[in-house]
Amino acid sequence: MAIIGAGIAGAAAAHRLREAGRPVVVLDKGRGPGGRMATRRGPDSLRFDHGAQYFTARDPRFKARVEDWTTRGVAAPWGGAERFVGVTGMTAPVRDLLDGIDLRCGRAVGRLVRDGRSWRLQEADGAALCEDAAFSAVLLTCPAPQALALLAGAGEDLPGVAEVRYAPCWTLMLAHDGPPLADAPVREDRDPDATIAWIARNDSKPGRDGGGTLVAHAAPAWSRAHLEDAAEDVAERLVAALRERMPVGAIRHRAAHRWRYAAVERAVGEPCLFAPETGLGFAGDGCLGPRVEFAFLSGLALAGRALGEAAR
Ligand SMILES: Cc1cc2nc3c(=O)[nH]c(=O)nc-3n(C[C@H](O)[C@H](O)[C@H](O)COP(=O)(O)OP(=O)(O)OC[C@H]3O[C@@H](n4cnc5c(N)ncnc54)[C@H](O)[C@@H]3O)c2cc1C
């Protein structure tokens, strides 16, 4: 089987399939695994969790996994209220699930091509991926618009994928010499008209080196209004907005990252989608909602369906 996307959903699915003894290949267009559980490197060994900030665990299956991660030092509590982060970056839990799995990064799947009862994967220009191997099932764990494009190109549909909606998010990564947040480690603003919705002391997370790093997420409405702006302009505006909220010292590094599909606003409302007759499936936070835990559970569910389990 092939899994497209090495975020937490794809990693959970791959892990489950491997446990069941099924060969699996995971492809991701990014340079490494993690998806929106992301860690970005800056100069001077700076590192920022610029996607998901933390995760919670409520479902017993995810709780058991998080307990295992914390026991082995892959994750650790942070900031109270049963919040957990990867150690030493948010990608750590995803990497852990993918340990020993055939993971191929830097591979953007552009086309799904039917070959009898199997599927072949191609880049957008038609070049073969995976040495032209054929797969009995292809599990799509990329954000819904990207999954939809692949399905449409193959002349297939998984009802529900087209209805999923995401809010964008511009993220500021900043290293400065000012005092840390007074009420560390986070500050939230739920005003929909705010420029910045979330500020986190990135350096307060366990295992992170270096002081003075913070991550700020712009609010959804602001992010939407500035979606196509240049990253450098956005970084400048977000630093200005940050100065209104806290003292900012001499800036050592700043960068902005645009998440076009950040937080699910409308989900499918089912754990996953799977069509046994074609072997195509969809999982991720687009199924159950905007949380790491939901994406994990969705990936597990899709692996179960691909293994022949009934829908729950
Ligand atoms: C700014 C931000 C803050 C967040 N904060 C939190 C938080 O605090 N707590 C929380 O629980 N959740 C948070 N989330 C949400 C959480 O990160 C997501 O719900 C979760 O990580 C989604 O995982 P996923 O596997 O479904 O998708 P993703 O992590 O997006 O993985 C999909 C993968 O598919 C790959 N891909 C896409 N198209 C292709 C293609 N054509 N070929 C190959 N690969 C492809 C992508 O590169 C990506 O790696 C946040 C998200 C963002 C962006």
Side-chain angles (χ1 to χ4, degrees):
M1 295 187 201
I3 296 178
I4 300 176
I8 188 77
H15 191 267
R16 171 103 202 266
L17 291 170
R18 185 166 181 258
E19 273 183 343
R22 301 295 289 268
V24 55
V25 181
V26 181
L27 298 103
D28 199 290
K29 66 179 183 175
R31 268 184 295 179
R36 280 168 279 164
M37 289 180 76
T39 311
R40 165 82 72 89
R41 285 176 193 280
D44 304 326
S45 310
L46 293 173
R47 290 190 309 150
F48 299 87
D49 293 336
H50 65 306
Q53 295 296 292
Y54 64 88
F55 48 90
T56 48
R58 299 195 174 97
D59 182 278
R61 292 164 294 176
F62 192 54
K63 270 178 142 170
R65 180 60 58 197
V66 173
E67 208 173 298
D68 171 57
W69 285 333
T70 51
T71 306
R72 293 189 291 115
V74 176
W78 172 71
E82 299 181 2
R83 292 172 171 177
F84 297 89
V85 294
V87 178
T88 56
M90 282 302 281
T91 54
V94 177
R95 290 180 187 279
D96 185 64
L97 288 169
L98 290 170
D99 188 31
I101 284 168
D102 185 350
L103 168 66
R104 305 182 190 192
C105 292
R107 306 287 209 291
V109 180
R111 293 170 64 187
L112 312 179
V113 181
R114 199 77 166 120
D115 182 2
R117 294 181 62 79
S118 302
W119 291 100
R120 294 183 190 278
L121 307 181
Q122 294 180 353
E123 295 180 51
D125 64 3
L129 284 163
C130 297
E131 293 82 42
D132 213 13
F135 300 98
S136 58
V138 179
L139 311 186
L140 305 165
T141 69
C142 39
Q146 293 159 341
L148 198 63
L150 289 171
L151 289 167
E156 298 289 345
D157 185 25
L158 286 170
V161 178
E163 273 65 62
V164 180
R165 294 287 178 275
Y166 301 78
C169 178
W170 269 110
T171 293
L172 173 71
M173 293 158 271
L174 187 78
H176 73 122
D177 294 328
L181 274 184
D183 50 354
V186 300
R187 191 175 291 173
E188 282 182 88
D189 189 340
R190 294 181 187 275
D191 176 358
D193 296 327
T195 301
I196 292 178
W198 166 273
I199 308 168
R201 260 191 76 186
N202 186 74
D203 56 32
S204 70
K205 293 183 173 181
R208 274 65 168 177
D209 295 332
T213 57
L214 64 80
V215 167
H217 291 322
W222 193 94
S223 297
R224 211 165 244 135
H226 296 273
L227 193 58
E228 306 304 338
D229 290 2
E232 187 42 45
D233 294 346
V234 169
E236 198 174 319
R237 282 164 177 264
L238 291 181
V239 168
L242 198 63
R243 285 189 199 283
E244 292 172 13
R245 303 272 302 273
M246 60 176 281
V248 175
I251 292 175
R252 286 181 279 127
H253 173 71
R254 74 172 187 197
H257 179 86
R258 173 180 45 212
W259 295 101
R260 201 172 279 280
Y261 309 115
V264 174
E265 291 181 315
R266 191 199 303 155
V268 174
E270 292 177 38
C272 69
L273 300 172
F274 186 66
E277 62 284 3
T278 60
L280 296 178
F282 173 69
D285 62 352
C287 286
L288 290 171
R291 271 199 214 145
V292 167
E293 174 171 21
F294 289 154
F296 173 90
L297 294 172
S298 177
L300 276 195
L302 183 55
R305 293 294 308 281
L307 289 167
E309 290 172 9
R312 280 199 262 172

Coordinates of all heavy atoms in Angstrom, one line a residue, residues 4-10 27-30 32-37 50-56 107-110 141-143 146 150 169 171 198 217 259 261-264 283-286 289-293 295, ligand 1:
I4 N 0.1 8.7 1.0 CA 0.6 10.0 0.6 C 0.4 11.0 1.7 O -0.7 11.3 2.2 CB -0.2 10.5 -0.7 CG1 0.0 9.5 -1.8 CG2 0.3 11.9 -1.1 CD1 -0.7 9.7 -3.0
G5 N 1.6 11.5 2.2 CA 1.6 12.4 3.4 C 2.2 11.8 4.6 O 1.8 10.7 5.0
A6 N 3.3 12.4 5.1 CA 4.0 11.9 6.3 C 3.7 12.8 7.5 O 4.6 13.1 8.2 CB 5.4 11.7 6.0
G7 N 2.5 13.3 7.6 CA 2.1 14.0 8.8 C 1.7 12.9 9.9 O 1.9 11.7 9.7
I8 N 1.0 13.4 10.9 CA 0.7 12.4 12.0 C -0.3 11.4 11.5 O -0.3 10.2 11.9 CB 0.2 13.2 13.3 CG1 0.0 12.2 14.5 CG2 -1.1 14.0 13.0 CD1 1.3 11.8 15.1
A9 N -1.2 11.8 10.6 CA -2.3 10.8 10.1 C -1.6 9.7 9.3 O -1.8 8.6 9.5 CB -3.3 11.6 9.3
G10 N -0.7 10.2 8.4 CA -0.1 9.2 7.5 C 0.9 8.3 8.3 O 0.9 7.1 8.1
L27 N 5.0 8.5 1.1 CA 5.7 9.6 0.3 C 5.2 10.9 0.8 O 4.0 11.1 1.1 CB 5.2 9.5 -1.2 CG 5.7 8.2 -1.9 CD1 4.5 7.3 -2.0 CD2 6.2 8.5 -3.2
D28 N 6.2 11.9 0.9 CA 5.8 13.2 1.3 C 6.6 14.2 0.4 O 7.7 14.0 0.1 CB 6.1 13.5 2.7 CG 5.3 14.7 3.2 OD1 5.7 15.8 2.8 OD2 4.4 14.5 4.0
K29 N 5.9 15.3 0.0 CA 6.5 16.3 -0.8 C 7.5 17.2 0.0 O 8.4 17.8 -0.6 CB 5.5 17.2 -1.5 CG 4.7 18.1 -0.6 CD 3.7 18.9 -1.3 CE 3.0 19.8 -0.4 NZ 2.1 20.8 -1.1
G30 N 7.4 17.2 1.3 CA 8.3 18.0 2.1 C 9.7 17.4 2.2 O 10.0 16.2 1.8
G32 N 11.2 16.6 5.0 CA 11.2 15.6 6.0 C 9.8 15.3 6.5 O 8.8 16.0 6.0
P33 N 9.6 14.4 7.4 CA 8.2 14.1 7.8 C 7.7 15.1 8.8 O 8.5 15.9 9.3 CB 8.4 12.7 8.5 CG 9.8 12.7 9.0 CD 10.6 13.5 8.0
G34 N 6.5 15.0 9.2 CA 5.9 15.9 10.2 C 4.7 16.7 9.8 O 3.8 16.9 10.5
G35 N 4.7 17.1 8.5 CA 3.5 17.9 8.0 C 3.4 19.2 8.9 O 4.4 19.9 9.1
R36 N 2.2 19.3 9.4 CA 1.9 20.5 10.2 C 2.5 20.4 11.7 O 2.4 21.3 12.4 CB 0.5 20.9 10.2 CG 0.0 21.6 9.0 CD -1.4 21.7 8.8 NE -2.0 20.5 8.3 CZ -3.3 20.2 8.3 NH1 -4.1 21.0 8.9 NH2 -3.7 19.1 7.8
M37 N 2.9 19.2 12.0 CA 3.7 19.1 13.3 C 5.2 19.4 12.9 O 6.0 18.4 12.6 CB 3.6 17.7 13.9 CG 2.2 17.4 14.5 SD 2.1 15.8 15.2 CE 3.0 16.0 16.7
H50 N 6.8 25.8 14.3 CA 6.0 26.9 13.7 C 4.7 26.4 13.2 O 3.9 27.2 12.7 CB 6.8 27.5 12.6 CG 7.1 26.7 11.4 ND1 7.7 25.5 11.5 CD2 6.9 26.8 10.1 CE1 7.9 24.9 10.3 NE2 7.3 25.7 9.4
G51 N 4.4 25.1 13.4 CA 3.0 24.6 13.1 C 2.3 24.3 14.4 O 2.2 25.2 15.3
A52 N 1.8 23.1 14.6 CA 1.2 22.7 15.9 C 2.0 23.0 17.0 O 3.2 22.8 17.0 CB 0.8 21.2 15.8
Q53 N 1.4 23.6 18.1 CA 2.2 24.1 19.2 C 2.3 23.0 20.3 O 3.3 22.9 21.0 CB 1.5 25.3 19.8 CG 1.6 26.5 18.9 CD 3.0 26.9 18.6 OE1 3.7 27.4 19.5 NE2 3.5 26.7 17.4
Y54 N 1.3 22.2 20.4 CA 1.2 21.1 21.4 C 0.1 20.2 21.1 O -0.6 20.5 20.1 CB 1.0 21.8 22.8 CG -0.4 22.4 23.0 CD1 -1.5 21.7 23.3 CD2 -0.5 23.8 22.7 CE1 -2.8 22.3 23.4 CE2 -1.8 24.4 22.7 CZ -2.9 23.6 23.1 OH -4.1 24.2 23.2
F55 N 0.0 19.1 21.8 CA -1.2 18.3 21.5 C -1.8 17.8 22.9 O -1.1 17.8 23.9 CB -0.9 17.1 20.6 CG 0.3 16.3 21.0 CD1 0.3 15.2 21.9 CD2 1.6 16.6 20.4 CE1 1.4 14.5 22.2 CE2 2.7 15.9 20.7 CZ 2.7 14.9 21.6
T56 N -3.0 17.5 22.8 CA -3.7 16.9 24.0 C -4.1 15.5 23.7 O -4.1 15.1 22.5 CB -5.0 17.7 24.3 OG1 -5.7 17.9 23.1 CG2 -4.7 19.1 24.9
R107 N 9.1 13.9 -2.4 CA 8.3 13.2 -3.5 C 6.9 13.8 -3.6 O 6.1 13.4 -2.7 CB 8.2 11.7 -3.4 CG 9.6 11.0 -3.2 CD 10.3 11.0 -4.5 NE 11.2 9.8 -4.6 CZ 12.3 9.7 -3.8 NH1 12.6 10.6 -3.0 NH2 13.0 8.6 -4.0
A108 N 6.7 14.7 -4.5 CA 5.3 15.3 -4.6 C 4.5 14.4 -5.6 O 4.8 14.3 -6.8 CB 5.4 16.7 -5.1
V109 N 3.5 13.7 -5.1 CA 2.7 12.9 -5.9 C 1.7 13.8 -6.7 O 1.0 14.6 -6.1 CB 1.9 11.9 -5.1 CG1 1.0 11.0 -6.0 CG2 2.8 11.0 -4.3
G110 N 1.8 13.7 -8.0 CA 1.0 14.6 -8.9 C -0.2 13.8 -9.6 O -1.1 14.5 -10.0
T141 N -3.4 11.2 2.8 CA -3.5 11.9 4.2 C -3.0 13.4 4.0 O -2.6 14.0 5.0 CB -2.7 11.1 5.2 OG1 -1.3 11.3 5.0 CG2 -3.1 9.7 5.3
C142 N -3.0 13.9 2.8 CA -2.7 15.3 2.6 C -3.9 16.1 2.9 O -5.0 15.6 2.9 CB -2.1 15.5 1.2 SG -2.9 14.6 -0.1
P143 N -3.8 17.4 3.1 CA -5.0 18.3 3.3 C -6.0 18.1 2.1 O -5.6 17.8 1.0 CB -4.4 19.7 3.3 CG -3.1 19.5 3.9 CD -2.6 18.2 3.3
Q146 N -5.6 19.1 -1.6 CA -4.6 18.4 -2.3 C -5.1 17.0 -2.6 O -4.8 16.4 -3.7 CB -3.3 18.4 -1.5 CG -2.7 19.8 -1.4 CD -1.8 20.0 -0.2 OE1 -1.8 19.3 0.7 NE2 -1.0 21.1 -0.3
L150 N -5.8 15.2 -6.5 CA -5.3 13.8 -7.0 C -6.5 12.9 -7.4 O -6.4 12.2 -8.4 CB -4.5 13.2 -5.8 CG -3.2 13.8 -5.5 CD1 -2.5 13.3 -4.3 CD2 -2.2 13.6 -6.7
C169 N -3.2 30.3 8.2 CA -2.5 31.0 9.4 C -1.1 31.4 9.0 O -0.3 30.6 8.4 CB -2.4 29.9 10.5 SG -1.5 30.6 12.0
T171 N 2.4 32.5 10.4 CA 3.2 32.3 11.6 C 4.5 33.1 11.6 O 5.2 33.1 10.6 CB 3.6 30.8 11.7 OG1 2.4 30.1 11.9 CG2 4.5 30.6 12.9
W198 N -2.0 34.1 19.0 CA -1.3 33.2 19.9 C 0.2 33.5 19.9 O 0.8 33.8 18.9 CB -1.5 31.7 19.4 CG -0.6 30.7 19.9 CD1 0.7 30.4 19.5 CD2 -0.8 29.8 21.0 NE1 1.2 29.3 20.2 CE2 0.3 29.0 21.2 CE3 -1.9 29.6 21.9 CZ2 0.4 28.0 22.2 CZ3 -1.8 28.7 22.9 CH2 -0.7 27.9 23.0
H217 N 1.2 33.2 16.1 CA 0.3 32.9 15.0 C -0.7 34.0 14.8 O -1.3 34.5 15.8 CB -0.6 31.6 15.4 CG 0.2 30.4 15.4 ND1 1.2 30.1 14.6 CD2 0.1 29.3 16.2 CE1 1.7 28.9 14.8 NE2 1.1 28.4 15.9
W259 N 0.7 29.1 6.3 CA 0.0 27.8 6.3 C -1.3 28.0 5.6 O -2.2 28.6 6.2 CB -0.2 27.3 7.7 CG 1.0 27.0 8.5 CD1 1.5 27.8 9.5 CD2 1.8 25.8 8.4 NE1 2.7 27.1 10.0 CE2 2.8 25.9 9.4 CE3 1.7 24.6 7.7 CZ2 3.8 25.0 9.6 CZ3 2.7 23.7 7.8 CH2 3.7 23.9 8.8
Y261 N -3.4 25.8 4.6 CA -4.4 24.9 5.2 C -4.0 24.6 6.6 O -3.4 23.6 6.9 CB -4.6 23.6 4.4 CG -4.7 23.8 2.9 CD1 -3.8 23.4 2.0 CD2 -5.9 24.5 2.5 CE1 -3.9 23.6 0.7 CE2 -6.0 24.7 1.1 CZ -5.1 24.3 0.2 OH -5.2 24.5 -1.1
A262 N -4.4 25.5 7.6 CA -3.9 25.4 8.9 C -4.8 24.6 9.8 O -4.5 23.5 10.3 CB -3.6 26.8 9.5
A263 N -6.0 25.2 10.0 CA -7.0 24.6 11.0 C -8.3 24.3 10.3 O -8.9 25.2 9.6 CB -7.2 25.6 12.1
V264 N -8.7 23.1 10.5 CA -10.0 22.7 9.8 C -11.2 23.5 10.4 O -11.3 23.5 11.6 CB -10.2 21.2 10.0 CG1 -11.6 20.7 9.5 CG2 -9.1 20.4 9.3
A283 N -7.7 10.3 5.0 CA -7.6 10.5 6.4 C -6.9 11.8 6.7 O -6.2 12.4 5.9 CB -6.9 9.3 7.1
G284 N -7.0 12.2 8.0 CA -6.3 13.4 8.4 C -7.2 14.3 9.3 O -8.4 13.8 9.5
D285 N -6.8 15.4 9.6 CA -7.6 16.3 10.5 C -8.9 16.7 9.7 O -9.9 17.1 10.4 CB -6.9 17.4 11.1 CG -6.3 18.4 10.1 OD1 -6.3 18.1 8.9 OD2 -5.7 19.4 10.5
G286 N -8.9 16.7 8.4 CA -10.0 17.0 7.6 C -11.2 16.1 7.9 O -12.4 16.4 7.6
G289 N -11.5 16.9 12.6 CA -11.3 18.2 13.2 C -9.9 18.6 13.4 O -9.0 17.8 13.3
P290 N -9.7 19.9 13.8 CA -8.3 20.5 13.8 C -7.5 20.1 15.0 O -7.2 21.0 15.9 CB -8.6 22.0 13.8 CG -9.9 22.1 14.5 CD -10.7 20.8 14.2
R291 N -7.1 18.9 15.2 CA -6.2 18.6 16.3 C -5.3 17.4 15.9 O -5.7 16.6 15.1 CB -7.0 18.0 17.5 CG -7.5 19.1 18.4 CD -7.9 18.5 19.7 NE -9.0 19.3 20.3 CZ -9.9 18.7 21.0 NH1 -9.9 17.5 21.3 NH2 -10.9 19.5 21.5
V292 N -4.1 17.4 16.5 CA -3.2 16.4 16.2 C -3.8 15.0 16.6 O -3.7 14.0 15.9 CB -1.9 16.6 17.1 CG1 -1.0 15.4 17.1 CG2 -1.1 17.8 16.5
E293 N -4.5 15.0 17.7 CA -5.1 13.7 18.2 C -6.1 13.2 17.2 O -6.2 12.0 16.9 CB -5.8 14.0 19.5 CG -6.6 12.7 20.0 CD -7.1 12.8 21.4 OE1 -7.2 14.0 21.9 OE2 -7.4 11.8 22.0
A295 N -6.2 13.8 14.0 CA -5.5 13.3 12.8 C -5.0 12.0 13.0 O -5.0 11.1 12.1 CB -4.5 14.3 12.4
Ligands
LIG1 C1 -0.2 27.0 12.8 C2 -0.8 25.7 13.3 C3 -1.0 25.6 14.6 C4 -1.6 24.4 15.1 N1 -1.7 24.2 16.5 C5 -2.2 23.1 16.9 C6 -2.2 22.8 18.3 O1 -1.7 23.6 19.1 N2 -2.7 21.6 18.7 C7 -3.2 20.6 17.9 O2 -3.6 19.6 18.3 N3 -3.2 20.9 16.5 C8 -2.7 22.1 16.0 N4 -2.7 22.3 14.7 C9 -3.3 21.3 13.8 C10 -2.4 20.1 13.6 O3 -1.1 20.5 13.2 C11 -3.0 19.3 12.5 O4 -4.4 19.0 12.8 C12 -2.3 17.9 12.2 O5 -0.9 18.1 12.4 C13 -2.7 17.4 10.8 O6 -2.0 16.3 10.5 P1 -2.3 15.5 9.1 O7 -1.4 14.3 9.1 O8 -3.8 15.4 9.0 O9 -1.9 16.6 8.0 P2 -0.4 17.2 7.7 O10 0.3 17.3 8.9 O11 -0.7 18.5 6.9 O12 0.3 16.2 6.8 C14 0.0 16.1 5.4 C15 1.3 15.8 4.6 O13 0.9 15.6 3.2 C16 2.0 16.1 2.5 N5 1.5 16.3 1.1 C17 0.6 17.2 0.7 N6 0.4 17.0 -0.7 C18 1.2 16.0 -1.1 C19 1.5 15.4 -2.3 N7 0.8 15.8 -3.4 N8 2.5 14.4 -2.4 C20 3.1 14.1 -1.3 N9 2.9 14.6 0.0 C21 2.0 15.6 0.0 C22 2.4 17.4 3.2 O14 3.8 17.8 2.8 C23 2.2 17.0 4.6 O15 3.5 16.6 5.2 C24 -2.1 23.4 14.2 C25 -1.8 23.6 12.8 C26 -1.2 24.7 12.4 C27 -0.9 24.8 10.9

